[in-house]
Amino acid sequence: MTTINLEKPALKALRNQYGETLVALGAENPNIVVLDADLACSTQTQKFADQYPERFFNQGISEQDLINTAAGLSTTGKIPFCSTFAIFAAGKGWDQIRNTVCYSGLNVKICPTHSGLSLGEDGASHQSIEDIALMRVIPGMTVIVPSDAVETDRVIRWAAEYYGPVYVRLVRPNCPVIHDEATYQLDAAMPHRIRVEREGTDISLVATGETVYHALLAAERLQADHGIQAEVLNCVFIKPFDTETLVNSARKTGKVITVESHQILGGLAGVVCEELSTHQPTAVRRLGTQDRFGQSGTGEALFKEYGIDWESIYNEALRWLKG
């Protein structure tokens, strides 16, 4: 259960934590190597490059080479982490990810940053709101979307230990820290278990990534204003997916709202509806980009425009429960 003060949380960028964790892993394991597509300062892999220049490879603006070189390194026993912006990794590198990495089951970690609407002013051409769908459809790919810096550290460390293709979706801006650094751990027996960040009985708010904070804040306000007990589920792993925890929550509340900075087609909403339709038919309302491209604007303004900020979640839940 989350116990962090949601009104005044500490802030830290997931990409900064990613860079710091890579440096720590580099000291622990000499087989860790890092590759980037000429964006090391933005993705924060520059931190690793500064510490271990002999284990860092700038592939230039060539995402296909980035993925294929990482694949080749993995066949020699190296554990490659490769980064660029999500729109380029999932889009330009998709063929190589599918046919070279996943088809061969290679031990490559793809960890792009600058995903989703919070990328902001860079606009539609750079806002990757399709990458979860593109990655989860590939056989053998693990898809992870951490919600804060603490969770980012843990999933990157897990990815380094796990053998196989992994996609970790990171964002650009500072994000609220919602987990306790001292106590947070992934479930050892089932790392992909959904985290129940807040228990409730009236409605299930199922979120992933940076929208988890907004779901938690909405749940807190729903209780304070109306006595509504919203359960908040944090889907760290999109694939493999923890159907059991989702079904238990849906069975208890009977109403589910999904929230994601991504298209509702093929993303979190897709997997939630797929699993519930099979195991626990439940009414679902989906918050995310509704078959629209992004646009230029601040991350805060875009979250409001596309209905995934805490106020939109709050209002959607209230309309459903009171209407």
Side-chain angles (χ1 to χ4, degrees), residues 20-76:
E20 292 169 14
T21 302
L22 284 179
V23 170
L25 287 172
E28 298 166 10
N29 188 340
N31 285 321
I32 299 286
V33 295
V34 175
L35 302 86
D36 208 296
D38 211 33
L39 288 167
C41 290
S42 295
T43 64
Q44 294 297 298
T45 60
Q46 187 63 48
K47 290 182 170 69
F48 187 93
D50 292 341
Q51 292 293 318
Y52 311 105
E54 73 286 356
R55 288 192 270 155
F56 177 81
F57 306 92
N58 182 3
Q59 298 301 114
I61 306 174
S62 180
E63 291 75 19
Q64 294 89 346
D65 287 332
L66 174 75
I67 301 300
N68 276 341
T69 302
L73 286 166
S74 74
T75 67
T76 70

Side-chain angles (χ1 to χ4, degrees), residues 71-123:
L73 286 166
S74 74
T75 67
T76 70
K78 302 301 182 184
I79 305 172
F81 282 80
C82 45
S83 298
T84 180
F85 288 4
I87 193 72
F88 304 138
K92 294 180 182 296
W94 193 85
D95 180 59
Q96 288 70 33
I97 293 171
R98 180 192 186 274
N99 289 319
T100 305
V101 174
C102 290
Y103 184 70
S104 302
L106 298 179
N107 192 30
V108 175
K109 320 304 172 185
I110 302 160
C111 304
T113 62
H114 294 63
S115 66
L117 292 172
S118 66
L119 178 55
E121 289 85 350
D122 285 4

Side-chain angles (χ1 to χ4, degrees), residues 251-319:
R251 185 178 291 128
K252 178 170 54 173
T253 67
K255 295 179 175 64
V256 172
I257 295 177
T258 63
V259 194
E260 60 194 308
S261 182
H262 187 273
Q263 294 285 2
I264 61 170
L265 303 175
L268 174 66
V271 69
V272 166
C273 290
E274 289 163 15
E275 295 304 308
L276 288 179
S277 68
T278 302
H279 301 285
Q280 180 68 30
T282 307
V284 179
R285 297 192 179 183
R286 301 169 294 170
L287 302 183
T289 56
Q290 311 270 341
D291 199 30
R292 296 171 61 189
F293 285 105
Q295 56 188 303
S296 183
T298 66
E300 181 180 1
L302 291 171
F303 267 43
K304 183 177 291 292
E305 167 67 20
Y306 288 84
I308 58 174
D309 66 317
W310 78 262
E311 289 181 291
S312 299
I313 302 167
Y314 172 96
N315 289 330
E316 185 69 24
L318 201 58
R319 278 193 295 268

Side-chain angles (χ1 to χ4, degrees), residues 49-283:
D50 292 341
Q51 292 293 318
Y52 311 105
E54 73 286 356
R55 288 192 270 155
F56 177 81
F57 306 92
N58 182 3
Q59 298 301 114
I61 306 174
S62 180
E63 291 75 19
Q64 294 89 346
D65 287 332
L66 174 75
I67 301 300
N68 276 341
T69 302
L73 286 166
S74 74
T75 67
T76 70
K78 302 301 182 184
I79 305 172
F81 282 80
C82 45
S83 298
T84 180
F85 288 4
I87 193 72
F88 304 138
K92 294 180 182 296
W94 193 85
D95 180 59
Q96 288 70 33
I97 293 171
R98 180 192 186 274
N99 289 319
T100 305
V101 174
C102 290
Y103 184 70
S104 302
L106 298 179
N107 192 30
V108 175
K109 320 304 172 185
I110 302 160
C111 304
T113 62
H114 294 63
S115 66
L117 292 172
S118 66
L119 178 55
E121 289 85 350
D122 285 4
S125 64
H126 281 54
Q127 289 162 358
S128 181
I129 51 176
E130 310 86 5
D131 56 312
I132 294 175
L134 289 169
M135 291 298 108
R136 69 176 278 252
V137 76
I138 304 176
M141 176 62 87
T142 294
V143 181
I144 306 175
V145 188
S147 61
D148 70 353
V150 173
E151 205 159 68
T152 297
D153 174 77
R154 302 307 189 270
V155 300
I156 295 299
R157 291 179 178 276
W158 177 88
E161 295 293 327
Y162 170 80
Y163 188 93
V166 177
Y167 183 84
V168 182
R169 187 187 204 236
L170 304 173
V171 295
R172 178 174 75 173
N174 289 329
C175 293
V177 178
I178 61 177
H179 297 110
D180 186 347
E181 170 69 36
T183 61
Y184 182 100
Q185 295 295 334
L186 294 175
D187 189 304
M190 187 177 169
H192 65 281
R193 188 183 301 279
I194 290 173
R195 296 183 64 86
V196 181
E197 303 287 2
R198 183 187 180 104
E199 294 184 355
T201 56
D202 297 321
I203 193 167
S204 300
L205 306 180
V206 184
T208 192
E210 57 193 321
T211 63
V212 173
Y213 168 76
H214 291 270
L216 282 167
L217 192 53
E220 191 172 84
R221 298 293 176 81
L222 285 167
Q223 180 180 3
D225 296 348
H226 303 281
I228 293 170
Q229 299 294 325
E231 185 150 283
V232 178
L233 304 188
N234 172 10
C235 299
V236 189
F237 282 68
I238 303 297
K239 183 185 176 185
F241 191 77
D242 174 14
T243 301
E244 181 181 3
T245 302
L246 171 68
V247 165
N248 288 342
S249 183
R251 185 178 291 128
K252 178 170 54 173
T253 67
K255 295 179 175 64
V256 172
I257 295 177
T258 63
V259 194
E260 60 194 308
S261 182
H262 187 273
Q263 294 285 2
I264 61 170
L265 303 175
L268 174 66
V271 69
V272 166
C273 290
E274 289 163 15
E275 295 304 308
L276 288 179
S277 68
T278 302
H279 301 285
Q280 180 68 30
T282 307

